[in-house]
Amino acid sequence: MNNIKYIIEAIVILVIFGVSSVQAETFTIYCGKPNYYKWNENETKWQKQKNPIYREMTIQINFEQLRSRVKYQGKWYSWAFSTIEKEIVTWKYHQKFGYNFNLSKNELIEKKGELFFKYTNCRSIL
């Protein structure tokens, strides 16, 4: 009986160590509310929001494991495979729902079907 207790304690310690090491490799960015929007993917100009849309967004990027995720309305969504090309991190949850984060400009573009939101006030947080 005691052996099982020690084995369970060892597993818990390993899980806690594994979770903390993954967290240390993760870059967290807070983007606040979107500044611009547009209705399709082509060359349509971005429009400034007249009435703010309260879609505060936080994202996490793990560069070592090439995965990213988003926190929306207080809920973290699952990790998704990311690609990095020309300083832009891209990940999708579905063909119609995806994200592009520009590392050099600190801008996030969120795709929700045909609607796109651009966040220009992103900053890293600890």
Side-chain angles (χ1 to χ4, degrees), residues 3-60:
N3 290 339
I4 294 175
K5 178 182 175 186
Y6 293 125
I7 291 172
I8 291 173
E9 287 177 1
I11 291 172
V12 169
I13 290 169
L14 288 174
V15 168
I16 290 171
F17 177 77
V19 169
S20 66
S21 67
V22 168
Q23 186 66 25
E25 302 161 358
T26 302
F27 186 52
T28 303
I29 303 125
Y30 175 74
C31 290
K33 295 175 264 187
N35 304 90
Y36 300 94
Y37 72 95
K38 67 179 183 175
W39 281 102
N40 52 34
E41 203 164 357
N42 62 22
E43 296 300 320
T44 306
K45 291 184 178 181
W46 290 97
Q47 299 176 29
K48 186 93 169 138
Q49 292 187 32
K50 295 176 185 169
N51 298 319
I53 297 172
Y54 295 99
R55 293 180 61 81
E56 291 191 6
M57 201 63 68
T58 303
I59 63 173
Q60 286 186 330

Side-chain angles (χ1 to χ4, degrees), residues 114-125:
E114 295 298 316
L115 181 60
F116 290 78
F117 292 108
K118 184 187 246 186
Y119 300 78
T120 60
N121 54 351
C122 299
R123 64 185 186 281
S124 63
I125 57 175

Side-chain angles (χ1 to χ4, degrees), residues 20 43 81 86 96 99 107 113:
S20 66
E43 296 300 320
F81 175 73
K86 297 182 182 178
K96 294 184 176 188
Y99 300 87
E107 289 181 352

Side-chain angles (χ1 to χ4, degrees), residues 57-107:
M57 201 63 68
T58 303
I59 63 173
Q60 286 186 330
I61 301 169
N62 185 309
F63 292 103
E64 289 185 17
Q65 296 180 356
L66 290 178
R67 60 187 193 151
S68 301
R69 68 179 180 165
V70 63
K71 182 179 184 181
Y72 173 64
Q73 292 183 339
K75 177 183 173 189
W76 283 107
Y77 286 83
S78 62
W79 289 99
F81 175 73
S82 302
T83 58
I84 302 172
E85 187 174 321
K86 297 182 182 178
E87 295 192 17
I88 297 177
V89 180
T90 303
W91 70 100
K92 295 180 182 179
Y93 288 108
H94 184 275
Q95 184 179 2
K96 294 184 176 188
F97 303 104
Y99 300 87
N100 294 336
F101 182 71
N102 188 318
L103 294 165
S104 62
K105 294 182 179 178
N106 286 326
E107 289 181 352

